[in-house]
Amino acid sequence: MEKVLILDFGSQFTQLIARRVRELNIYSEIHPYNSDKFDVNDFEAVILSGSPHSVRSDEAPQPDLSLIKGKKPLLGVCYGAQYLAHFYGGEVGSSNTREYGRAHLAKIESDEVLFEGINEGSQVWMSHSDTILSLPSNYKKIASTEDVDNAAFKIDGEDTFAIQFHPEVYHTKDGTQLLENFLVKIAGLKQEWTPNSFVEDTVNGLKEKIGNDKVVLGLSGGVDSTVAAVLLHKAIGKNLYCIFVDNGLLRKNEFEGVLKQYEHLGLNVKGVNAKDKFYSELAGESDPEKKRKAIGKVFIDVFDEESNLIQDVKWLAQGTIYPDVIESLSVSGGPSATIKSHHNVGGLPDYMKLEIVEPLRLLFKDEVRRVGRSMGLNEELLGRHPFPGPGLAIRILGDITAEKVRILQEVDYIFIEGLKKANLYNDVWQAGAILLPVQTVGVMGDERTYEQAVALRAVESTDGMTADWCHLPYEFLAKTSNDIINKVVGVNRVVYDISSKPPATIEWE
């Protein structure tokens, strides 16, 4: 399989480069620029990401390009472009004009393959405070904008190109075309990485890795764990043992519904009621990170106990996907900041003698759905909204009690079922309710009430890395609010969250 290496210098957009490349049916991997965990020889082309750093600072990332530059097709993006100029004889300085946001290509060298199909005037997206003042002698300028003279260049005698703008972001209108020009027309890569090829390669890899060993997998009812289970089932069949844990933090009727759903997939599934263990561990805990850690601990404890009931089990499978890894560990341990921990990411405690297998670890959510679709999973399952591993615990702000869970389950049920009945469910990427740690004054009949407030959250996204709030119809929100207040004892106020990610996260904790 042909692969593209993306060297990460800590840019907030690095993951978008990987997504755009994969949308071209070309496989890509992100690695920190200073990592020793990859072999350059395994890749057919290389892209240098942007960075929050300046090439002029003492902390500037300085990759070793001795095995790349002039030897493999190379594209520098933003910081990558400035690096190729500054450290090879050119000059980079502080920009006299603001170079953030929209710009337009004012001049393009018409004979350049990198810009085939892209016209002068095309909108691009800038995000830098430095600018390239002069190029090394063997570099050729191939595009400019109104304010940026050296907006793109190539190196004579090499398949090395660089651009000051970000082709990976939505606001660069012909960004995908530029990446395709570089990867297909210049680097000569084949567009063969498809869902079907992923399934075939992954199943073969799992067979080779696991052999005749037994695997235990934690199912959640969601897309990720289900697709992971079906992939493993294709690879090892009856040696896959699935466990679905009721942690007391699921949605209303979810435990029974999910078990019934899996009957049709031919999977070997065991349901485990562990509510009391989770409630006991969470008792009195309000800190969101500690709640996640507590849930992760019990999750592992339950699996250790259940796996010991299966003779000779050697592997724990998880439905971890790429955004989980990025947010928990940075990108493969790279320069990006950690945002929050995920209960299904990372190593196991020493006492649990299982190895981890994560067949979806490098896929984004939309890619997981495409893979599931290629294996014939039904659309209702594939279209199910993401649901956090810690469940309702991170949608209940403050400590967890069975009564709070009951209230939120009822509110969530009304909201989600309402979206389905109004034919809005499939227009929303993720939706849920949040129980706020405040009580507010209300009036019901002639009586004063002092009860809970809840927030409704619905967002549009493709992979969870960024998200915007959904503009649900006022009539729908009014009816939902009325239904919740009238039907859920303990709630007298409903609000709607209109925050985007960033700066907010999708979940409140």
Side-chain angles (χ1 to χ4, degrees), residues 200-210:
E200 182 179 353
D201 291 344
T202 300
V203 169
N204 290 335
L206 290 169
K207 287 179 179 178
E208 182 178 346
K209 182 176 185 177
I210 297 170

Side-chain angles (χ1 to χ4, degrees), residues 317-499:
Q318 298 186 146
T320 309
I321 63 172
Y322 211 15
D324 298 338
V325 177
I326 293 166
E327 290 194 340
S328 294
L329 304 176
S330 305
V331 181
S332 304
S336 303
T338 296
I339 298 172
K340 60 188 176 184
S341 65
H342 288 258
H343 80 286
N344 59 338
V345 177
L348 294 170
D350 292 338
Y351 68 81
M352 192 172 182
K353 307 302 180 183
L354 296 179
E355 296 184 69
I356 289 181
V357 57
E358 298 169 316
L360 307 177
R361 186 178 178 85
L362 294 179
L363 291 188
F364 291 98
K365 175 70 75 173
D366 57 321
E367 294 172 335
V368 175
R369 288 195 170 102
R370 288 200 293 270
V371 167
R373 194 168 289 115
S374 75
M375 295 191 294
L377 297 184
N378 69 65
E379 287 299 323
E380 183 179 355
L381 189 153
L382 293 175
R384 187 175 185 266
H385 289 178
F387 188 63
L392 299 181
I394 58 170
R395 294 182 179 176
I396 296 174
L397 306 193
D399 66 327
I400 307 299
T401 67
E403 175 62 11
K404 289 181 179 180
V405 172
R406 180 200 67 79
I407 290 174
L408 189 56
Q409 284 178 333
E410 295 294 338
V411 172
D412 178 85
Y413 183 81
I414 291 171
F415 185 30
I416 298 301
E417 289 304 305
L419 287 169
K420 292 177 180 178
K421 290 177 183 177
N423 293 319
L424 294 169
Y425 186 83
N426 292 330
D427 296 332
V428 176
W429 191 77
Q430 183 171 339
I434 298 91
L435 184 65
L436 304 181
V438 295
Q439 291 180 300
T440 68
V441 174
V443 178
M444 291 186 178
D446 294 326
E447 297 183 4
R448 175 185 183 276
T449 63
Y450 194 57
E451 296 180 331
Q452 300 291 145
V454 296
L456 304 182
R457 179 82 157 134
V459 299
E460 299 171 338
S461 183
T462 55
D463 54 35
M465 298 301 298
T466 61
D468 198 8
W469 62 279
C470 291
H471 294 243
L472 297 177
Y474 288 147
E475 296 79 9
F476 169 79
L477 290 173
K479 183 180 187 307
T480 302
S481 173
N482 190 60
D483 286 347
I484 290 170
I485 292 172
N486 283 337
K487 296 177 181 179
V488 183
V489 177
V491 174
N492 69 355
R493 190 177 300 273
V494 177
V495 299
Y496 187 54
D497 183 349
I498 58 171
S499 308

Side-chain angles (χ1 to χ4, degrees), residues 17-30 183 193 322 362-364 367 370:
I17 300 176
R19 283 186 48 75
R20 294 293 176 262
V21 173
R22 292 176 183 201
E23 287 170 359
L24 294 169
N25 292 331
I26 299 172
Y27 181 70
S28 61
E29 287 183 8
I30 299 171
L183 295 171
W193 190 69
Y322 211 15
L362 294 179
L363 291 188
F364 291 98
E367 294 172 335
R370 288 200 293 270

Side-chain angles (χ1 to χ4, degrees), residues 41-285:
N41 296 317
D42 293 338
F43 299 89
E44 281 66 42
V46 180
I47 298 176
L48 306 181
S49 84
S51 174
H53 299 283
S54 166
V55 295
R56 299 179 296 116
S57 73
D58 294 337
E59 296 79 26
Q62 297 188 39
D64 179 3
L65 300 182
S66 60
L67 298 178
I68 300 173
K69 184 176 173 295
K71 300 176 182 178
K72 291 180 179 292
L74 174 64
L75 176 66
V77 175
C78 196
Y79 178 90
Q82 293 175 0
Y83 180 88
L84 289 170
H86 183 74
F87 288 99
Y88 290 88
E91 183 183 359
V92 173
S94 180
S95 176
N96 292 324
T97 58
R98 186 172 176 83
E99 295 179 358
Y100 289 94
R102 293 174 180 83
H104 295 85
L105 295 173
K107 175 66 176 175
I108 298 175
E109 295 294 334
S110 59
D111 61 341
E112 280 304 325
V113 176
L114 187 68
F115 287 98
E116 276 192 12
I118 302 174
N119 298 320
E120 292 178 351
S122 178
Q123 179 178 292
V124 296
W125 188 263
M126 297 285 189
S127 181
H128 55 267
S129 56
D130 288 344
T131 195
I132 300 171
L133 300 175
S134 64
L135 295 172
S137 58
N138 61 328
Y139 286 36
K140 174 188 176 184
K141 178 176 68 176
I142 57 176
S144 303
T145 68
E146 302 95 326
D147 297 320
V148 179
D149 187 32
N150 296 302
F153 62 81
K154 69 168 293 187
I155 300 179
D156 292 337
E158 299 180 13
D159 283 332
T160 300
F161 297 80
I163 51 179
Q164 271 285 261
F165 53 89
H166 288 271
E168 68 273 22
V169 303
Y170 169 80
H171 301 289
T172 295
K173 298 303 183 184
D174 294 309
T176 299
Q177 180 67 61
L178 185 145
L179 288 172
E180 184 173 11
N181 289 343
F182 171 69
L183 295 171
V184 178
K185 296 178 180 178
I186 295 172
L189 275 73
K190 300 180 180 65
Q191 295 171 278
E192 297 178 339
W193 190 69
T194 63
N196 287 335
S197 68
F198 175 83
V199 171
E200 182 179 353
D201 291 344
T202 300
V203 169
N204 290 335
L206 290 169
K207 287 179 179 178
E208 182 178 346
K209 182 176 185 177
I210 297 170
N212 293 320
D213 293 347
K214 294 179 180 178
V215 178
V216 60
L217 167 67
L219 287 171
S220 68
V223 177
D224 304 334
S225 66
T226 302
V227 172
V230 174
L231 282 168
L232 282 158
H233 185 69
K234 282 179 173 290
I236 63 174
K238 64 182 180 180
N239 281 344
L240 174 64
Y241 295 78
C242 300
I243 297 171
F244 179 44
V245 177
D246 185 356
N247 58 11
L249 303 164
L250 302 174
R251 286 173 162 163
K252 183 179 178 180
N253 301 327
E254 189 166 26
F255 185 60
E256 298 78 12
V258 167
L259 287 176
K260 186 175 181 179
Q261 180 185 58
Y262 284 130
E263 291 176 0
H264 304 293
L265 294 178
L267 301 174
N268 175 23
V269 183
K270 177 182 180 181
V272 179
N273 186 338
K275 290 181 182 178
D276 292 341
K277 292 182 179 180
F278 283 90
Y279 286 163
S280 176
E281 191 72 26
L282 287 166
E285 185 56 69

